[in-house]
Amino acid sequence: MGKRTGTEPGDRMGQHATHIVWDWNGTLFHDIDAVIGATNSAFAEIGMAPITLEAYRELYCVPVPRFYERLMGRLPTESEWQVMDEAFHRHYSTHRLGCELAEGVHALLENWQSAGRSQSILSMYGHDELIPIVRDFGIESRFVRVDGRTGPSGGTKSAHMVRHLAAMDGVDPGRTVVIGDAVDDALAARDAGAYAVLYTGGSHSRQSLETAGVPVVDTLAEAVGLAGEIVL
């Protein structure tokens, strides 16, 4: 399931220009404070101690139950995971309301599109929740496709990335760069035959991101610059 907007990339430029797949949470959408707030609100409900931003960035991983294993010393049971996941999303829906796009996003998206290049969003945030948020920020027309997660939360992105790229005519995975804030974004790119650049403004520390073996940057402007150089 996806949302298509604008002209298909194959119609505009064939298969010889770089395509960017953007992550949403922690990348285009600067929501790390909301994530920490929602995480700690959920923790409070189940009697767990709060976590700092620094600790979160060092420990966070997917599948998300593995993140809880690092905190608890064991994997949560299925029923515990369901409670944790529901509590997080319930609190996040409130905390995210104060969040904005990351610095410079509007200009970066406009300039990439104006240069005749295509871009899309693939997020593990729920599809039905993602689409209206992207629309409300007035950036929907910048993307040829916007896909959020369908199915259970907490999993990895690889299979979603393969489907996302396959759904876009004229987009070659070998000429695609994934920009995200998590090691999982790099793994998904690798599994789909694409490149990746990771951004330190979201869920992982620089040290954690560097384990993925792909370029790591501190700004989205740097990420876009690299995307334009990686695929020539």
Side-chain angles (χ1 to χ4, degrees):
M1 181 184 296
K3 174 70 176 181
R4 292 190 174 206
T5 57
T7 305
E8 291 305 305
D11 298 335
R12 286 188 297 185
M13 57 198 161
Q15 300 184 23
H16 303 293
T18 305
H19 177 83
I20 290 178
V21 178
W22 291 96
D23 175 54
W24 179 250
N25 301 96
T27 304
L28 289 177
F29 189 44
H30 185 64
D31 65 345
I32 188 62
D33 291 337
V35 168
I36 297 300
T39 298
N40 285 331
S41 294
F43 282 2
E45 288 192 18
I46 58 176
M48 290 178 63
I51 190 171
T52 64
L53 172 60
E54 292 72 22
Y56 183 94
R57 282 176 163 162
E58 286 300 323
L59 296 173
Y60 181 74
C61 63
V62 295
V64 178
R66 294 290 181 184
F67 169 56
Y68 287 103
E69 180 183 27
R70 293 179 175 185
L71 295 169
M72 301 168 65
R74 62 174 177 82
L75 277 171
T77 66
E78 183 63 29
S79 60
E80 287 174 331
W81 161 245
Q82 290 176 358
V83 169
M84 293 170 175
D85 190 48
E86 185 281 328
F88 171 82
H89 285 95
R90 174 163 36 85
H91 289 291
Y92 177 82
S93 65
T94 300
H95 283 278
R96 74 160 180 82
L97 297 177
C99 298
E100 298 290 340
L101 297 178
E103 182 179 356
V105 161
H106 283 287
L108 289 172
L109 298 179
E110 180 181 5
N111 292 342
W112 188 263
Q113 184 184 44
S114 296
R117 292 165 165 175
S118 63
Q119 54 198 332
S120 59
I121 293 176
L122 175 61
S123 174
M124 296 301 282
Y125 192 52
H127 183 80
D128 291 340
E129 292 78 28
L130 174 67
I131 296 299
I133 298 173
V134 173
R135 185 174 297 136
D136 286 347
F137 276 115
I139 58 174
E140 185 181 23
S141 64
R142 302 296 181 197
F143 306 103
V144 296
R145 190 174 184 92
V146 177
D147 282 329
R149 171 187 49 79
T150 57
S153 64
T156 62
K157 189 179 270 189
S158 287
H160 298 271
M161 184 67 71
V162 171
R163 288 194 296 269
H164 179 74
L165 292 176
M168 292 182 288
D169 295 334
V171 171
D172 177 0
R175 304 193 68 82
T176 295
V177 179
V178 176
I179 299 178
D181 70 314
V183 171
D184 189 52
D185 291 302
L187 297 178
R190 179 201 65 190
D191 291 345
Y195 297 90
V197 177
L198 298 181
Y199 163 62
T200 61
S203 60
H204 283 35
S205 67
R206 172 175 279 275
Q207 183 177 3
S208 296
L209 293 176
E210 287 175 344
T211 65
V214 302
V216 177
V217 298
D218 295 320
T219 69
L220 293 182
E222 291 176 88
V224 171
L226 277 176
E229 297 172 359
I230 287 174
V231 182
L232 299 176

